[in-house]
């Protein structure tokens, strides 16, 4: 391909093509306006490829020097926002290659020896995604630290735990926060696992079948910090399941933030009044002056749909593709980019919204959620949250659990009729339900007694919660 042909793709790819593309088709097939985001990794991949070509004596040392300086110049132009991206040159790869050839002549035309855009683009996405995974993993760790700080401050705050959104049993608010720490720690594990399959090198697969040049693929993998090379050329250029897997992990992260969002929204409503988030995460209403709306959690809940949608998009993209590379795969980028952007912003915002910002002067976080411990405790008292504790008390006195369950149901019915809590029934009133009840019953009917009784590993007793906090802190910060 002569350099002026590469410059003006409108004139077609080679002598083989007899008519130019229409503007519409050019726009339809081009990806440069989104895949230029891969420019840095494209250059990194090209530098490694060129280095190896020279080491294998496929190109000369002079050619390598020219390629290095040309790509450095291109990187500078891109960083300065001065690179002239051309729709006519379709994608990031052809744009950079054409500019390289313009800058250094024939050496630029030798860069593509033993390489195809098919293995090139697969390499670029993997390199890019690896970097993003590393950033997201750090953000997940930061969000966990933020939630841990909230948990730590509220180990002894009692809230109603819910099932079916009905008051069930009292739990520590710190314990509730730790449930999310568990979720986000599994998310981090998932990303670390996906990273292993992302970090493998396609280059050397060329268009689909490998290449006749004596490439050293392991050298390129080493230079790029990759764990190994893809072992089947057809698979190397066409596999995108690493992207699907990543997006699945990302969708789960969003689902977790969406669940937390939903809770915040419920807790912030006047009917609960459990927490407030800082004003900078809320907005007012243009008509109702009293309103402060939880826009940020609502948007996170909404954006979860977007990321789940991208997962559906990517997985459907692969369905029915014959081996090997097909242009369908160009459609992998926008969903992937948007997934990363959405998850990144969401994680950053949630870390700050929940635990607040770290004040370097004090080492404390400031400006996170405000917890109304009294409202939480009141709500726990209103819902007969200690009914199970009364049943357990009777079991300890020798009653079979099913019978105890029935006795307590009667007691709750009576308390409801009088609009009082179980702990407000008199001892003699309680004894009317079962003669085995004694004065020590009031300890187990208290919220704190109920909490303290739940000492199983992972239970809500404050002593357990403290153990879990210590475990997480050690895990996150060594
Ligand atoms: N822009 C293309 C993509 O994103 C690069 C690979 C194109 N290869 C090809 N044979 N048309 O997938």
């Amino acid at each position: 391909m002569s350099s002026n042909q590469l410059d003006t793709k409108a004139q077609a790819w080679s002598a083989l093509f007899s008519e130019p593309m229409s503007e519409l088709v050019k726009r339809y097939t081009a990806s440069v306006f989104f895949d230029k985001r891969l420019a840095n990794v494209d250059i990194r991949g090209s530098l490694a490829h060129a280095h190896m070509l020279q080491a294998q004596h496929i190109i000369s040392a002079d050619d390598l020097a020219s390629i290095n300086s040309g790509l450095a110049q291109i990187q500078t132009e891109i960083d300065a926002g001065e690179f002239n991206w051309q729709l006519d040159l379709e994608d990031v790869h052809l744009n950079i290659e054409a500019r390289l050839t313009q800058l250094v002549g024939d050496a630029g035309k030798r860069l593509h020896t033993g390489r195809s855009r098919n293995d090139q683009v697969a390499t670029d996405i993997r390199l890019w995604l690896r970097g993003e995974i590393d950033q997201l993993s750090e953000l997940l760790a930061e969000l966990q630290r933020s939630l841990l700080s909230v948990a730590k401050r509220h180990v002894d705050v009692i809230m109603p735990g819910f099932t079916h959104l009905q008051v069930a049993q009292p739990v520590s608010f710190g314990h509730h926060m730790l449930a999310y720490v568990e979720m986000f720690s599994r998310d981090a594990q998932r990303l670390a696992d996906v990273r292993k399959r992302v970090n493998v090198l396609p280059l050397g697969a060329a268009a689909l079948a490998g290449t006749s040049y004596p490439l050293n693929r392991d050298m390129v993998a080493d230079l790029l910090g990759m764990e190994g090379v893809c072992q089947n050329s057809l698979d190397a250029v066409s596999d995108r399941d690493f992207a699907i897997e990543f997006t699945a992990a990302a969708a789960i992260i969003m689902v977790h933030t969406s669940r937390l969002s939903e809770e915040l929204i419920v807790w912030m409503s006047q009917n609960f009044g459990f927490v407030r988030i800082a004003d900078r995460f809320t907005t007012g209403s243009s008509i109702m002056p009293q309103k402060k709306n939880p826009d940020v959690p609502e948007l996170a809940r909404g954006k979860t749909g977007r990321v789940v949608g991208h997962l559906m998009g990517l997985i459907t993209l692969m369905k029915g593709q014959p081996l090997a590379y097909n242009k369908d795969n160009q459609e992998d980028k926008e969903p992937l980019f948007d997934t990363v952007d959405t998850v990144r912003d969401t994680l950053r915002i949630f870390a700050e919204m929940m635990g607040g910002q770290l004040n370097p002067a004090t080492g404390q976080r400031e400006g996170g959620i405000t917890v109304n411990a009294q409202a939480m405790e009141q709500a726990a008292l209103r819902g007969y949250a200690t009914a199970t504790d009364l049943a357990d008390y009777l079991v300890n006195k020798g009653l079979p659990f099913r019978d105890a369950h029935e006795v307590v149901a009667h007691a709750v019915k009576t308390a409801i009729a009088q609009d009082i809590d179980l702990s407000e029934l008199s001892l003699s009133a309680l004894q009317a339900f079962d003669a085995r009840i004694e004065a020590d019953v009031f300890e187990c009917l208290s919220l704190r007694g109920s909490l303290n009784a739940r000492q199983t590993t992972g239970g809500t007793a404050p002593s357990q919660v403290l153990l879990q906090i210590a475990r997480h802190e050690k895990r996150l910060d060594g």
Side-chain angles (χ1 to χ4, degrees), residues 171-438:
V171 295
S172 144
F173 184 65
H175 189 57
H176 198 111
M177 287 295 102
L178 290 188
Y180 286 99
V181 175
E182 293 287 337
M183 293 179 229
F184 292 120
S185 87
R186 287 195 299 276
D187 289 333
Q189 288 171 20
R190 256 185 289 275
L191 285 188
D193 198 54
V194 172
R195 190 187 192 280
K196 293 182 210 152
R197 285 176 290 280
V198 169
N199 200 25
V200 185
L201 181 76
L203 273 181
L208 76 165
T211 167
S212 56
Y213 298 96
L215 303 187
N216 182 345
R217 299 186 64 207
D218 290 323
M219 176 190 278
V220 179
D222 269 359
L223 287 170
L224 294 174
M226 288 178 132
E227 288 301 325
V229 304
C230 299
Q231 298 291 320
N232 180 293
S233 60
L234 298 166
D235 181 48
V237 291
S238 62
D239 164 40
R240 294 292 181 274
D241 50 62
F242 67 88
I244 296 172
E245 252 192 277
F246 166 77
T247 311
I252 298 175
I253 294 174
M254 289 304 294
V255 166
H256 290 155
T257 60
S258 184
R259 295 186 70 185
L260 180 53
S261 297
E262 172 66 12
E263 299 213 290
L264 289 171
I265 293 161
V266 170
W267 293 342
M268 281 173 70
S269 90
Q270 285 76 1
N271 301 320
F272 277 72
F274 286 4
V275 300
R276 277 190 297 114
I277 58 176
D279 282 357
R280 62 190 187 284
F281 300 108
T282 64
T283 60
S285 154
S286 54
I287 176 168
M288 295 167 285
Q290 86 282 14
K291 295 274 276 182
K292 227 181 243 180
N293 297 326
D295 287 35
V296 166
E298 287 172 311
L299 274 171
R301 194 175 55 184
K303 284 173 191 285
T304 301
R306 226 161 113 152
V307 175
V308 171
H310 292 325
L311 171 60
M312 292 307 117
L314 283 173
I315 202 162
T316 311
L317 178 68
M318 280 321 280
K319 179 187 172 299
Q321 276 197 52
L323 288 174
Y325 176 87
N326 302 283
K327 186 81 165 183
D328 310 41
N329 284 337
Q330 183 164 290
E331 289 288 307
D332 64 356
K333 290 169 199 65
E334 288 160 293
L336 210 48
F337 293 163
D338 188 63
T339 295
V340 165
D341 291 341
T342 306
V343 175
R344 185 200 305 108
D345 289 352
T346 306
L347 290 176
R348 288 180 58 189
I349 288 176
F350 269 67
E352 194 196 318
M353 184 172 70
M354 295 306 293
Q357 260 171 333
L358 201 63
N359 178 342
T362 61
Q364 298 294 313
R365 290 175 189 269
E366 289 162 12
I369 59 167
T370 311
V371 171
N372 186 338
Q374 217 187 349
M376 287 188 179
E377 202 154 312
Q378 281 306 313
L381 282 171
R382 273 195 309 272
Y384 302 97
T386 57
T388 316
D389 297 273
L390 180 55
D392 292 342
Y393 173 89
L394 290 167
V395 168
N396 276 327
K397 300 272 177 184
L399 208 59
F401 181 76
R402 280 292 156 222
D403 296 338
H405 186 277
E406 187 60 19
V407 167
V408 177
H410 286 291
V412 170
K413 198 170 171 188
T414 303
I416 290 174
Q418 300 177 23
D419 196 21
I420 55 175
D421 184 51
L422 283 177
S423 60
E424 293 168 305
L425 289 166
S426 69
L427 181 57
S428 58
L430 285 164
Q431 283 168 333
F433 298 108
D434 192 288
R436 276 163 281 211
I437 294 177
E438 294 170 80

Side-chain angles (χ1 to χ4, degrees), residues 61-76:
D62 283 351
D63 282 340
L64 176 60
S66 302
I67 289 170
N68 282 341
S69 72
L71 287 175
Q73 154 99 27
I74 290 170
Q75 183 74 64
T76 309

Side-chain angles (χ1 to χ4, degrees), residues 16-135:
L16 204 60
F17 291 77
S18 57
E19 59 174 12
M21 265 184 184
S22 74
E23 284 304 312
L24 175 60
V25 174
K26 243 192 268 176
R27 195 156 46 72
Y28 197 74
T29 54
S31 54
V32 64
F33 289 109
F34 52 85
D35 69 14
K36 65 182 177 190
R37 190 164 168 174
L38 297 174
N40 291 353
V41 286
D42 193 72
I43 290 173
R44 230 196 298 163
S46 286
L47 288 171
H49 180 67
H51 184 94
M52 178 276 295
L53 287 179
Q54 195 276 316
Q56 297 295 101
H57 307 296
I58 299 167
I59 63 171
S60 70
D62 283 351
D63 282 340
L64 176 60
S66 302
I67 289 170
N68 282 341
S69 72
L71 287 175
Q73 154 99 27
I74 290 170
Q75 183 74 64
T76 309
E77 291 174 5
I78 292 171
D79 291 345
E82 283 160 5
F83 190 88
N84 178 23
W85 297 104
Q86 293 178 56
L87 184 73
D88 273 1
L89 290 169
E90 191 175 292
D91 61 20
V92 60
H93 323 292
L94 293 180
N95 267 271
I96 290 177
E97 194 185 333
R99 177 68 181 140
L100 181 66
T101 299
Q102 207 176 58
L103 287 170
V104 304
D106 281 354
K109 294 190 216 160
R110 294 204 172 96
L111 172 62
H112 212 50
T113 312
R115 185 176 78 169
S116 153
R117 277 187 300 155
N118 297 352
D119 57 346
Q120 186 179 359
V121 70
T123 302
D124 288 4
I125 308 168
R126 284 167 183 264
L127 282 175
W128 174 82
L129 189 55
R130 182 184 71 184
E132 298 299 327
I133 286 175
D134 291 344
Q135 276 191 32

